[in-house]
Amino acid sequence: VFGCYSALQNRDRTSLLYAAWIVVALLSSTILPVHDGSRIYDFLLNFEGLRVGPAYVTRLVGNSLGYLQAVGYVLFARSFLDLKTHLPRIYRLSNVYVVLSIAWWILVVPFWHIAVKSPTLVFAPYAMMVIAMLLTIFGSAWVRYRQGLQVAKFFMFAIIPYLFFRGVFLLSTFLNVPSPFSFMESAGLGFFLQSSNTAQAVGFCCEALIMGLAVFRKNRWLQDELKREVDTQNQRLEATVDARTRELAASKADTERQHQLILDSISYASRLQKAQLPRKSRLEGRFLSFDAI
């Protein structure tokens, strides 16, 4: 709800990508099979037994959502950290990751019944690629924080549980690495966390909660930055206006001085010219005896 509301209110790329990712992650977590079934199929959809060719619809939908949320998280992360502008090499690396993920989806998801015969060979490279990409994003967040992006620290806090639980899921599911939760008692919380799918769902929840705060904090930070930039621009504008006003006042005073000098020169020349002319009284009657035809 917060992600969608934030996207509608802000309408910026980061908020839209976050909303899209969190919705897909929610669907992906509800579609994961746990100890007593898959929530979305138990309550909302009835795909059990349906097939598209040799592939089960439940498997197609579940794996597609899994790949989509993995790609969506990277798209959101690089937008949040603005990697395209500040870390272009990492941004290009993320493009390679997105392309490879899509290629993996095209090659594996429709042919799951074939790929599942050797899951380690098929999915181990993908699992390592995902973990490497998440570690790269975490390192990028640290670099961006050092560069002055203060909200990157919230991103680092958020990605830690996501990276941990996501890594547990990938390593235990595709590389047969024992989950740290497998050493817990099969009772209480340990009963649920021993399932790698449940662990991944917990990671989604932690990421959603903390990253929601991070998105909110980034929006506030952007507003504060915009306000500071506006204040700075206003101060620069006021200083420019004051300087220009002083220049215009000095120019006006100089123009008035020049104008007065010209008037004084004209007045002085007029006096000189009038001084050369005889008085009017001396000219009266002097030409009465002259006629012109």
Side-chain angles (χ1 to χ4, degrees):
V1 171
F2 168 78
C4 295
Y5 177 78
S6 178
L8 290 174
Q9 287 293 109
N10 298 307
R11 299 184 182 277
D12 63 295
R13 181 180 177 84
T14 301
S15 297
L16 291 173
L17 288 173
Y18 173 74
W21 171 78
I22 198 62
V23 170
V24 174
L26 173 64
L27 293 174
S28 180
S29 63
T30 58
I31 215 166
L32 291 172
V34 290
H35 65 283
D36 60 347
S38 177
R39 293 290 173 264
I40 196 169
Y41 296 135
D42 289 344
F43 297 103
L44 298 178
L45 304 175
N46 185 17
F47 288 162
E48 293 296 335
L50 295 180
R51 292 191 180 192
V52 177
Y56 284 100
V57 174
T58 54
R59 181 65 65 180
L60 285 172
V61 175
N63 287 332
S64 297
L65 288 173
Y67 277 95
L68 187 59
Q69 78 83 19
V71 171
Y73 183 79
V74 173
L75 295 178
F76 157 69
R78 71 183 192 178
S79 177
F80 185 93
L81 299 173
D82 197 11
L83 298 183
K84 186 175 183 178
T85 302
H86 299 278
L87 296 173
R89 291 184 179 179
I90 304 300
Y91 181 83
R92 289 192 292 269
L93 181 63
S94 68
N95 287 334
V96 175
Y97 167 83
V98 171
V99 171
L100 289 177
S101 296
I102 294 174
W104 237 296
W105 179 88
I106 294 173
L107 294 175
V108 172
V109 173
F111 307 103
W112 177 265
H113 57 290
I114 300 175
V116 76
K117 295 178 181 179
S118 55
T120 302
L121 179 63
V122 174
F123 295 105
Y126 174 75
M128 297 306 297
M129 182 181 72
V130 173
I131 294 174
M133 190 69 239
L134 293 177
L135 289 173
T136 302
I137 291 175
F138 180 82
S140 301
W142 169 251
V143 174
R144 292 291 290 122
Y145 177 71
R146 296 293 299 273
Q147 290 177 348
L149 183 65
Q150 296 298 317
V151 291
K153 63 183 178 183
F154 293 98
F155 186 90
M156 288 188 290
F157 293 148
I159 197 177
I160 288 175
Y162 179 76
L163 176 60
F164 174 74
F165 288 105
R166 182 78 170 150
V168 168
F169 169 78
L170 292 171
L171 293 176
S172 61
T173 303
F174 301 127
L175 295 178
N176 297 321
V177 176
S179 168
F181 302 115
S182 63
F183 301 101
M184 298 175 66
E185 292 289 338
S186 298
L189 188 61
F191 175 75
F192 296 98
L193 292 180
Q194 284 182 356
S195 170
S196 59
N197 290 337
T198 304
Q200 181 173 229
V202 171
F204 287 154
C205 293
C206 295
E207 172 72 12
L209 291 173
I210 304 175
M211 192 56 70
L213 297 176
V215 172
F216 175 76
R217 186 66 186 88
K218 183 178 183 182
N219 291 335
R220 290 292 301 273
W221 178 77
L222 289 174
Q223 292 173 0
D224 293 340
E225 286 292 309
L226 181 61
K227 185 177 182 299
R228 282 194 291 269
E229 183 66 23
V230 170
D231 292 340
T232 301
Q233 292 296 333
N234 287 336
Q235 292 175 0
R236 292 176 181 174
L237 182 61
E238 290 174 358
T240 302
V241 170
D242 291 341
R244 186 60 180 160
T245 301
R246 288 193 295 270
E247 291 177 2
L248 290 175
S251 177
K252 181 175 181 295
D254 184 65
T255 302
E256 290 176 349
R257 285 194 298 270
Q258 296 294 334
H259 180 66
Q260 189 61 43
L261 286 174
I262 293 172
L263 290 179
D264 292 344
S265 298
I266 292 174
S267 177
Y268 187 67
S270 176
R271 291 195 190 97
L272 292 177
Q273 292 172 357
K274 289 179 179 179
Q276 301 298 320
L277 297 175
R279 291 183 177 86
K280 183 178 180 180
S281 59
R282 297 185 62 187
L283 294 175
E284 291 178 352
R286 293 285 184 175
F287 302 102
L288 295 179
S289 61
F290 289 88
D291 291 308
I293 299 176

